[in-house]
């Protein structure tokens, strides 16, 4: 039975009009519901109690103010049954006179019954197959590469990863170059010696730079000479090409003259042969 | 048939299930999913407030659980499941806040929208009462809502909740009472808006 059903039967309960089974249910509900018990007590107190409440409200308004805040801070403990007896009685007394706290307490007690029943919600039947399908690729690869990659990804996403990497890098450099057992034990000393011999290093670098400068100048001069030679050869080639072109033109002109004179000779020769043939035909006739 | 199988699975030892899952027994994994789907879906639903999103999120939570099966033992399985579900739900809410849905609905308003899919409450007798409580949950502040979900709905201990949320135990205790009062006030306000009625 919930508080709503109790309130509906309350009047019949007070007047003794309920059957035995219903009365037992009401008694059981009263045993476990403080709000309904307070409601019943408030009704049974009568008109005098209402007058006292009005008086107490007026006094509270002029002294400490409303006690609702204090009462509400204790409602949870009373509901859970962890408050001490005095506090519980005080809260019950307040609930009997305060409608807002009483309704709040009623809602809280009903919510306390409903909320645990919302603990599990079974989704639709296709949910489990969907989950199994989503996990199947991971299942096949559970011992494979993805696990190692996942581990590495998790490792690199840790907040202190950069510090740890720097620490390990320092240790590695020290192990490689700074211990007697390192594979290149003289690397540090050679580096130190070269750093200490700064003068020689600078002089060597300076002479190298000068040498590179001289070589560069030589290269530039050689390239200038080569450019002059190329331009001279190209000019001479142009002149020779011009002469060749003139000679070609003269040859073409001579050839044209020869062809025209030959054509005239052949034409006169053909005309002579034609005349001779014509004359010989006439002589025969 | 379905209910009896469910009862058998319920009685199965979590440690045994976990051990078999790690050995590659797909049946054990299926049993584990069936055993915890109600809890996981409930956590996702109460955090997200929408049945369809909660279903997708619950699926994602199980994938996460599968990936981290080796990090847990049988005794702490349930708190660990709820922890993973809660963290995934928080991630989901952050993602939704960063990339709101196309229909441009504020995250808080999602609680009041009727979903196209049947909600879990619609399939049971006291659907109206649960729907009212669920809507009232959506009106709480995020910390109070979390405390109600974890303590009152999921039944976690105050120490576990403090550890999960990263707040002192005293804060959870004091917040617990305040959260219940805030929930009751929200329910009363919703009742008033709906024209009265019981929880």
């Amino acid at each position: 039975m919930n508080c709503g059903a109790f309130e509906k039967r309350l009047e019949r309960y007070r007047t003794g009009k309920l059957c035995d089974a219903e009365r037992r249910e009401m008694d059981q509900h009263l045993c476990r519901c403080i709000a309904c018990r307070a409601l019943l007590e408030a009704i049974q107190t009568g008109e005098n109690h209402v007058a006292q409440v009005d008086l107490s409200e007026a006094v509270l308004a002029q002294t400490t103010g409303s006690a609702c805040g204090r009462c509400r801070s204790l409602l949870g403990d009373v509901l859970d049954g962890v408050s001490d007896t005095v506090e519980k009685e005080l809260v019950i007394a307040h609930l009997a006179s305060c409608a807002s706290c009483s309704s709040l307490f009623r809602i809280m007690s009903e919510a306390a019954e409903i909320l645990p029943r919302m603990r599990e919600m079974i989704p639709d039947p296709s949910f489990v197959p969907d989950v199994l399908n989503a996990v199947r690729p991971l299942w096949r690869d559970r011992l494979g590469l993805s696990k190692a990659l996942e581990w590495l990804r998790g490792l690199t996403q840790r907040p202190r990863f950069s510090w740890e990497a720097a620490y390990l890098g320092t240790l590695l450099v020290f192990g490689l170059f700074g211990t007697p057992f390192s594979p290149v034990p003289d690397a540090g000393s050679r580096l130190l010696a070269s750093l200490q011999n700064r003068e020689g290093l600078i002089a060597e670098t300076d002479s190298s730079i000068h040498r590179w400068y001289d070589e560069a100048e030589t290269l530039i001069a050689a390239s200038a000479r080569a450019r002059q030679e190329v331009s001279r050869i190209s000019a001479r080639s142009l002149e020779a090409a011009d002469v060749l072109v003139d000679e070609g033109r003269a040859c073409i002109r001579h050839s044209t003259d020869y062809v025209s004179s030959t054509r005239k000779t052949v034409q006169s020769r053909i005309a002579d042969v034609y005349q001779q043939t014509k004359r010989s035909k006439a002589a025969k006739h | 048939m379905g209910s009896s199988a469910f009862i058998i699975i319920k009685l199965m030892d979590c440690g045994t299930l976990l051990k078999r899952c790690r050995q590659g027994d797909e049946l054990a994994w299926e049993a584990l999913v069936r055993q915890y789907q109600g809890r996981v879906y409930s956590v996702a639903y109460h955090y997200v407030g929408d049945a369809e999103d909660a279903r997708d999120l619950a699926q994602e939570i199980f994938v996460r659980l599968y990936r981290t099966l080796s990090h847990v033992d049988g005794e702490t399985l349930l708190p660990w499941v709820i922890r993973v579900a809660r963290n995934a739900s928080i991630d989901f809410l952050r993602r939704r806040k960063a990339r709101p849905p196309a229909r441009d609905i504020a995250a808080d308003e999602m609680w009041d929208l009727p979903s196209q899919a049947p909600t879990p409450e619609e399939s049971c007798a006291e659907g109206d009462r649960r729907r009212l409580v669920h809507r009232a949950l959506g009106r709480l502040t995020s910390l109070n809502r979390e405390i109600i979900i974890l303590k009152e709905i999921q039944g976690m201990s105050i120490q576990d909740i403090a550890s999960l949320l990263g707040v002192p135990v005293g804060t959870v205790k004091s917040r617990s009472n305040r959260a219940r009062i805030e929930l009751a006030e929200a329910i009363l306000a919703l009742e008033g808006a709906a024209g009265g009625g019981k929880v």
Side-chain angles (χ1 to χ4, degrees), chain A residues 110-125:
Chain A
E110 292 208 2
E113 286 182 13
I114 291 172
L115 288 172
R117 292 206 288 270
M118 296 162 73
R119 186 166 294 167
E120 289 200 13
M121 294 178 173
I122 305 300
D124 57 286

Side-chain angles (χ1 to χ4, degrees), chain A residues 40-73:
Chain A
L40 180 63
E41 286 173 6
I43 291 172
Q44 287 172 344
T45 305
E47 293 297 324
N48 291 334
H49 181 74
V50 174
Q52 285 172 8
V53 170
D54 290 339
L55 183 62
S56 63
E57 281 180 359
V59 171
L60 285 173
Q62 293 179 18
T63 53
T64 58
S66 170
C68 290
R70 169 73 178 143
C71 173
R72 289 179 185 197
S73 69

Side-chain angles (χ1 to χ4, degrees), chain A residues 137-179:
Chain A
L138 302 172
W139 190 269
R140 286 176 189 149
D141 194 38
R142 65 186 183 280
L143 297 175
L145 190 61
S146 63
K147 202 170 182 179
L149 286 175
E150 187 68 25
W151 178 78
L152 273 176
R153 195 176 296 122
L155 192 69
T156 55
Q157 285 174 352
R158 292 169 61 216
R160 289 162 58 189
F161 175 73
S162 53
W163 288 104
E164 290 165 355
Y167 180 71
L168 284 177
T170 308
L171 276 183
L172 184 67
V173 168
F174 181 73
L176 278 176
F177 304 114
T179 63

